[in-house]
Amino acid sequence: MTNQIAHQKSQSTLPPSSLSYLIFLFPLVLLLVSPEPSSGSPPAADAAGPGKVLFEKRCAGCHSLDQDREGPRLRNVYGAKAGSTPTFKYSSALKSSQITWTDETLNKWLADPDSLVPDNDMEFHVPKPDERADIIRFLKAASGK
Ligand code: HEC
């Protein structure tokens, strides 16, 4: 008697559709179990993600990646010397600053351009540290660094 009940029970906990659950869950389990794809350097789309949107919101009024506007083109700015786009007319302050654009210098520039380079021509800053970090990551990726 008890055997029969147990038998029925085990059948009822395994409905025919459970196979499709397994098929559905299997890739998810694999994703959770194997850390490889998400470790190491993040995929390019992720790296560009929030920074790209912020760049378009905050910077694109004056900058584009590939054309000079009110500000110089910025595609290869990361790792470059400040004021080194030959087609753009910089302030002499920025041109003679001897700065190389890195995470650190870009962070200072975006936080407060005037304290990094007094008398420069960029009248804009980004007060939020996390926004600066995202924008710098975007510029770095756009520069292939
Ligand atoms: C109101 C216009 C304006 C906005 C907005 C602006 N910039 Fe600029 N930017 C300039 C100008 C003008 C210069 C050149 C400054 C100079 O010659 O002193 C410049 C220069 C720069 C430089 C130095 C480039 C080089 O070749 O050395 C960087 C980097 C930069 N901007 C990044 C940004 C980023 C990132 C943003 C958005 C968060 C931004 N700027 C927003 C006008 C702007």
Side-chain angles (χ1 to χ4, degrees):
M1 189 67 170
T2 41
N3 257 352
Q4 215 182 355
I5 288 168
H7 185 63
Q8 275 175 353
K9 251 198 171 166
S10 74
Q11 265 193 343
S12 69
T13 53
L14 205 72
S17 60
S18 63
L19 186 62
S20 52
Y21 279 118
L22 282 180
I23 289 169
F24 175 74
L25 284 176
F26 190 60
L28 289 182
V29 170
L30 273 188
L31 274 180
L32 290 175
V33 166
S34 69
E36 269 90 339
S38 55
S39 69
S41 60
D46 277 357
K52 183 168 198 273
V53 174
L54 285 167
F55 180 83
E56 275 155 18
K57 264 202 219 157
R58 306 264 186 272
C59 322
C62 294
H63 290 283
S64 113
L65 286 181
D66 297 303
Q67 275 169 343
D68 300 335
R69 294 197 176 150
E70 187 176 336
R73 64 191 68 191
L74 293 179
R75 177 164 309 277
N76 290 312
V77 78
Y78 193 100
K81 270 260 158 74
S84 61
T85 295
T87 45
F88 187 80
K89 206 171 173 323
Y90 293 93
S91 65
S92 45
L94 187 63
K95 230 179 144 58
S96 60
S97 67
Q98 299 294 324
I99 288 167
T100 298
W101 294 124
T102 61
D103 290 69
E104 202 192 333
T105 52
L106 281 169
N107 188 44
K108 284 186 187 159
W109 173 254
L110 294 179
D112 186 0
D114 283 325
S115 74
L116 184 68
V117 184
D119 295 325
N120 79 84
D121 286 346
M122 179 162 131
E123 306 205 339
F124 189 76
H125 76 290
V126 182
K128 291 187 184 165
D130 55 331
E131 289 196 0
R132 293 199 298 273
D134 284 340
I135 291 170
I136 291 167
R137 215 170 291 132
F138 168 72
L139 289 176
K140 193 173 179 178
S143 305
K145 303 281 160 70

